[in-house]
Amino acid sequence: MAGNSKDKRFLLRMDQSLYDRLAEEADRANQSVNMYIVSLLSANHGTKNFEKRQIIGKTVLGKDINPDNGLVLVSGIYYRYLINDNSEVDATAEYAVIEANGNILTLQKI
């Protein structure tokens, strides 16, 4: 990034304790504080779709999983699903959404 005429600069204010924590993490990652902040922003900006923002981590009741049609109802939306250990659906259990790939959710029994 350094020296690139298209790089943008701006002043970022933060308290000393936050800076110290970032500096420690940057040091562990063998990066400058600036590059570490840029990498955090790049990794977390605009790359998460709706499912990754709103669905992952949700709890689903087994009764909301329909093995006959292969759909699960999560937050009012029907998705295809996979059970992470390929087991049969337990209608009395609860499941956590652990992954979203397009319209397919991976569920794990909890």
Side-chain angles (χ1 to χ4, degrees), residues 1 4 7 12 28 49 51 53-54 56 59-61 67-69 80 84 89 92 101 108-109:
M1 271 186 69
N4 186 342
D7 287 350
L12 176 63
R28 281 194 292 270
N49 60 22
E51 283 76 19
R53 288 190 320 267
Q54 300 292 326
I56 292 186
T59 301
V60 179
L61 299 176
D68 295 331
N69 64 14
R80 297 223 170 266
N84 71 324
V89 174
T92 64
N101 188 2
Q108 179 176 1
K109 189 175 179 179

Side-chain angles (χ1 to χ4, degrees), residues 62-63 65-67 81 83 87-91 95:
K63 69 179 183 71
I65 303 171
N66 188 332
Y81 71 89
I83 306 292
S87 64
E88 295 293 322
V89 174
D90 179 353
Y95 293 82

